[in-house]
Amino acid sequence: MIVPMKKIFLVVLDAEKKTALKKLRSAGLVHLENIQGASSELTSLKTEYSKLESVCMQLSDLKVPKGFSVKEKIEAADMSELSDKILELFERKKTCLSEITQCTVELERLQKWGGVNPADFEYLADKDISLAMYEIPAAKYRMLPDDVNTVFVNEDKSNVRFLLVTKDGVKPASMPAEAFAVTMPQKSTDEMSEIIIRDKAEIAKIDNLLYSAVSYVPKLKKASAVQAKKVEFENVFSGMEHDSDANTPLAWISGFVPTADLEKVKKLADTEKWGFASMDPTDEDNVPTKLKNNKLVSLIYPVTDFLGTVPGYNEYDISGWFLLFFAIFFGIIFGDGGYGALMTVIAIFALLGGAAKKKKASPGVCLLLLLGLTTMAWGTITCTWFGIEVQYLPEWLKNLSVPAISNVTSAISAEKESWVSQNLQILCFTLALAQLTIAHLKGFVRYIKSLKCIGELGSLGMLWGLYTLVLNMVVDADRFPLPSFAIPLIGGGFLLNFIFANYDGSIGKSILESLKNIVSVLLGVVNVFSDIVSYIRLWAVGLAGSAISATVNEMAGPMLGGFIIFAGILLLCFGHGLNMVLNVLSVIVHGVRLNTLEFSNHLGMSWSGFKYEPFSEAVEK
C-alpha cells in the first residue's frame, strides 16, 4: 500500500534554525519539500563531495592485476587529503600518457630521419648556415636546379629526404612544389625517447599506488556519504525561507510526514516550542511515495529499485500484482525447469550461507529463490529440462507434465505440436485478459462513487470482446469461431467508455472531451487489441530459448561420447550459460514491459512518483 502522508509546516526563530534543523534531522521523519540553498559554505561542501565521488568512481573503475602485491601505500591524515593525493596521481598519469602519445607520434613521424636534434640546427643557424628538412619524390630530387643546395640524407622506394642549405632561411623560388617541408620537432628524438622511458616508469609507480588505494574505496564511499549529508544539511539551512526584517526574525520550512508519524513530529514541535501546522496534501503538492507491504510482496522491490520505477502518490501500489505476474512471466520466458533448479540451488546455498553467518536474508536472494521455483514449476508442467529431448527424460518427469502444453504431447506428431503451440498462445492471451481485467476492476473500484466507473466497465467489455477476436484471428478461426456477443460487447463497451471515460460531474462535458480526442479514442480500441496480442511475446521468447537449448545440446552431443568430452562439457556450459544471460535480458525487456507498460497503461499509471526520503542523519550503506 501507499502510506498516507500529511503536509506539515514548521516555524522557528531565525537565530535557532540550525539547532532546530539538527533536531529535526535527528528525528528522521520529515521529507522536506524541494529547497535550493546558496552559500559559500554550500559551494565548498559540494566541491569536497564532488572530489570524493570522483575518486570513488575512478578507483572503482580500476582493474587490479591478479597477484598484485602492495609495494607502497599512500599516506594521508584523512579522507580529504587522501582524495587530493589520489586525484593528483590520476592527473599526473594523464599527463604522462599525453606526453608518451605526443612523443610517440613525433618519433614515428621522424623515424626515417634517424636522430634529430633542434639544438644542432640552431647552432648552425648562429653560424649563418640555415638547414631545413624536406621530403620529395625521388624522381623530382634528381631534377632539382643547381641553385638549390641540398645535403642528401636517405631515400626509400618513393621519397628522398634531404636538408635544404640556405644562408637566410628563405626557400629558393625554384624549389619544386612537390618538396614537402618537415616540421622541426620541439625536442630532440633522444630526449623524446628518454621522456617515454621516464613516463612509463612513473606510470608504473603511479599504478602501484592507485592499485593499493583501491582498498580505501569503502572508507572513501563512507566519507562521501557523510559529506552528502553535510551538503544536504547546508542546502536546507541556507535555503530556508525567513523574514529577518520582522521584530522577531523567523524561519520556516515545509515537508511531508507519514500520517502514522505525525504525532511524533507534533510532540517534537511542542517540546521545542516550534510553530506547527499540518494538512492533507493538495493535488498541486508534489508528495513523495512510501510503500509498505508484507515480506512476500516486498520481494519485488529489488526489481523496481533497479528500474527506478516509483508510483505517484495518487497512483496505485501494484507491488503484489507486479510480483505475481513478474514471477509467472519469468518462468515462461526462462521456460526450463533445469535453469530454475540451478537458480533454486544457488539461492538456497546463499540463504544457508547467510544463516550460518547470522545475516538477514537478502531480498534479492529470496526473489531469486521464488523465480527459480516458478521456473521449475513451468519446466515441470511443460516437461522442459535443459533442452533435452523428451524421449531421454525419465517417465516420472513426463507424467508430471500437463498434456495440453507439454513437450511430451508435442513429440507425438506435427498435428499435436501445433495443438500444443496453440494452447500456449491461448495461455498467453488469457494471462493478458486476467491482468488487464484486474487493471479495469481496480479502476472500477476507484471510481465507484462516480459515473466514471461505467467507463471502466465499458473498457472491460471491450477487453473481453477483443479477447475472443484475438483467439479467432491469431490462434485458429475454426477452433474459436467468433461468438455472437463479441461485436455487441466491443461496440457497447466502446460506447460506454466514450460517454463516461472523462466524466467529471457532467455527461455532456465528458462526451465533448471524447469528441475532442476522437482519434485517440478510436485508436484506443486498436490499442486494447494490440495489448492483448503483445502477450504472445512470452510464448515467442520462451520458444526461442528452448530452441537455443536444443541447438547447444545437438552441437555438444557428438563430443560427449569421445575423447573431446571436455570440449563438449565446455560447450554445454557456455551455450546454456549464454542462453540464461539472454533470458535475463528478455525478462528485463519483455517481462518487465508487460507490467510497467501494458498493465500500467490500463491502470492509468505513469510511474511519476519519487521515493519518500526523510531528512535524517542516517548514512546509506
Side-chain angles (χ1 to χ4, degrees):
M1 62 170 282
I2 294 177
V3 176
M5 292 280 175
K6 288 285 187 179
K7 184 173 184 179
I8 67 162
F9 303 86
L10 295 173
V11 181
V12 301
L13 293 174
D14 189 58
E16 297 178 0
K17 66 178 183 179
K18 179 167 282 191
T19 303
L21 283 178
K22 287 181 179 179
K23 292 186 177 180
L24 187 65
R25 184 175 65 172
S26 180
L29 296 171
V30 183
H31 180 110
L32 299 177
E33 286 198 291
N34 188 37
I35 293 177
Q36 294 297 329
S39 69
S40 58
E41 176 68 12
L42 179 60
T43 302
S44 175
L45 290 171
K46 284 184 175 179
T47 301
E48 183 69 20
Y49 173 70
S50 298
K51 181 178 68 177
L52 289 166
E53 281 287 283
S54 177
V55 169
C56 290
M57 182 177 66
Q58 292 186 69
L59 286 179
S60 298
D61 289 340
L62 285 180
K63 293 183 179 179
V64 181
K66 291 183 179 179
F68 168 76
S69 58
V70 178
K71 298 177 183 176
E72 184 182 358
K73 294 193 76 172
I74 305 171
E75 298 296 333
D78 54 29
M79 290 298 105
S80 179
E81 183 183 344
L82 177 67
S83 61
D84 285 334
K85 290 184 176 181
I86 291 173
L87 286 177
E88 286 175 8
L89 288 173
F90 274 114
E91 197 59 36
R92 179 56 192 160
K93 181 178 179 179
K94 187 188 297 183
T95 301
C96 289
L97 289 172
S98 177
E99 288 179 348
I100 290 172
T101 301
Q102 291 173 5
C103 291
T104 301
V105 170
E106 281 291 88
L107 288 175
E108 288 176 353
R109 181 174 70 87
L110 300 168
Q111 183 179 12
K112 293 180 180 179
W113 283 88
V116 178
N117 188 347
D120 294 340
F121 287 81
E122 291 174 2
Y123 174 79
L124 291 172
D126 291 339
K127 305 296 183 182
D128 294 329
I129 301 174
S130 180
L131 298 179
M133 299 185 295
Y134 277 86
E135 290 185 9
I136 194 171
K140 291 289 183 180
Y141 180 74
R142 295 176 181 86
M143 298 170 60
L144 287 174
D146 294 337
D147 63 333
V148 178
N149 296 320
T150 67
V151 176
F152 176 84
V153 177
N154 60 43
E155 69 176 309
D156 52 30
K157 293 180 180 180
S158 56
N159 292 323
V160 170
R161 277 158 288 282
F162 67 92
L163 297 174
L164 175 65
V165 184
T166 61
K167 287 188 176 181
D168 53 8
V170 178
K171 183 175 71 172
S174 57
M175 177 74 82
E178 292 83 356
F180 171 71
V182 177
T183 304
M184 184 67 63
Q186 294 181 348
K187 298 181 178 69
S188 70
T189 51
D190 289 342
E191 188 178 356
M192 287 189 283
S193 297
E194 290 173 2
I195 289 173
I196 291 174
I197 294 171
R198 182 199 69 197
D199 284 354
K200 284 184 176 179
E202 187 173 357
I203 287 173
K205 292 180 180 179
I206 291 173
D207 282 342
N208 182 75
L209 288 170
L210 292 177
Y211 292 149
S212 67
V214 171
S215 61
Y216 291 123
V217 169
K219 290 183 179 179
L220 285 165
K221 286 185 174 179
K222 186 176 181 180
S224 176
V226 170
Q227 189 67 20
K229 284 296 178 182
K230 292 180 180 179
V231 170
E232 180 188 37
F233 184 89
E234 180 59 29
N235 180 64
V236 174
F237 176 73
S238 60
M240 280 183 72
E241 294 187 65
H242 63 284
D243 183 2
S244 56
D245 296 329
N247 292 331
T248 306
L250 299 174
W252 55 92
I253 199 168
S254 60
F256 300 92
V257 178
T259 302
D261 295 325
L262 183 64
E263 284 301 317
K264 294 179 183 178
V265 179
K266 187 176 180 180
K267 185 176 180 181
L268 175 64
D270 290 340
T271 303
E272 301 298 328
K273 308 300 185 204
W274 300 338
F276 175 85
S278 65
M279 59 180 287
D280 290 326
T282 64
D283 292 338
E284 289 74 30
D285 287 322
N286 205 8
V287 188
T289 301
K290 181 181 181 181
L291 300 179
K292 184 179 180 180
N293 289 294
N294 58 46
K295 290 184 178 180
L296 176 61
V297 174
S298 298
L299 293 182
I300 198 61
Y301 290 169
V303 177
T304 53
D305 288 345
F306 171 75
L307 297 171
T309 52
V310 181
Y313 179 70
N314 293 313
E315 294 183 340
Y316 300 98
D317 174 19
I318 60 168
S319 300
W321 296 114
F322 197 131
L323 178 65
L324 172 63
F325 285 102
F326 179 75
I328 295 172
F329 299 159
F330 189 99
I332 296 175
I333 288 173
F334 261 71
D336 194 296
Y339 294 171
L342 281 176
M343 289 187 287
T344 302
V345 169
I346 291 170
I348 290 174
F349 271 106
L351 289 172
L352 291 175
K357 296 178 181 179
K358 296 182 179 180
K359 289 185 177 180
K360 188 178 179 181
S362 164
V365 175
C366 294
L367 178 63
L368 179 64
L369 177 61
L370 175 63
L371 298 177
L373 292 172
T374 55
T375 305
M376 278 184 65
W378 180 259
T380 299
I381 63 177
T382 58
C383 200
T384 308
W385 299 90
F386 292 113
I388 300 172
E389 295 182 25
V390 292
Q391 59 263 36
Y392 300 118
L393 294 173
E395 286 297 321
W396 65 271
L397 271 182
K398 298 179 187 178
N399 294 333
L400 288 175
S401 65
V402 177
I405 55 174
S406 173
N407 286 327
V408 178
T409 307
S410 296
I412 296 174
S413 64
E415 183 180 351
K416 287 291 185 181
E417 183 179 5
S418 175
W419 181 70
V420 169
S421 293
Q422 287 183 358
N423 289 340
L424 289 169
Q425 293 174 38
I426 295 166
L427 178 61
C428 292
F429 295 143
T430 304
L431 281 172
L433 179 67
Q435 191 174 29
L436 301 184
T437 295
I438 289 168
H440 290 293
L441 287 177
K442 287 179 74 69
F444 177 79
V445 172
R446 181 173 191 170
Y447 301 117
I448 191 68
K449 296 181 180 180
S450 166
L451 291 179
K452 196 170 184 177
C453 68
I454 300 176
E456 292 291 338
L457 288 179
S459 297
L460 204 56
M462 280 195 294
L463 176 67
W464 281 77
L466 288 168
Y467 170 73
T468 62
L469 185 62
V470 168
L471 295 182
N472 177 267
M473 295 179 65
V474 180
V475 181
D476 190 332
D478 294 329
R479 186 175 174 185
F480 296 100
L482 195 64
S484 57
F485 62 82
I487 300 302
L489 193 58
I490 296 170
F494 173 79
L495 185 61
L496 290 176
N497 184 263
F498 183 86
I499 296 172
F500 296 103
N502 300 299
Y503 181 81
D504 190 18
S506 170
I507 294 178
K509 289 182 179 179
S510 178
I511 295 173
L512 184 60
E513 192 65 30
S514 294
L515 287 171
K516 288 180 183 177
N517 301 289
I518 187 63
V519 175
S520 298
V521 173
L522 292 172
L523 286 176
V525 182
V526 179
N527 288 337
V528 174
F529 181 88
S530 64
D531 286 346
I532 298 171
V533 174
S534 181
Y535 281 69
I536 203 172
R537 69 181 67 233
L538 299 171
W539 167 74
V541 175
L543 186 64
S546 297
I548 292 174
S549 296
T551 302
V552 170
N553 293 342
E554 189 176 343
M555 292 170 62
M559 302 180 187
L560 299 177
F563 68 94
I564 55 172
I565 183 172
F566 292 110
I569 294 173
L570 285 174
L571 180 57
L572 282 175
C573 292
F574 174 77
H576 285 289
L578 178 62
N579 194 25
M580 290 185 74
V581 171
L582 292 174
N583 283 339
V584 170
L585 295 176
S586 297
V587 168
I588 295 173
V589 173
H590 302 290
V592 169
R593 172 206 162 102
L594 294 175
N595 279 297
T596 57
L597 192 60
E598 276 82 356
F599 182 45
S600 297
N601 281 346
H602 283 257
L603 280 166
M605 287 182 63
S606 60
W607 297 97
S608 58
F610 57 98
K611 274 188 174 183
Y612 163 76
E613 294 178 343
F615 184 53
S616 68
E617 296 175 334
V619 176
E620 292 184 8
K621 295 181 180 180

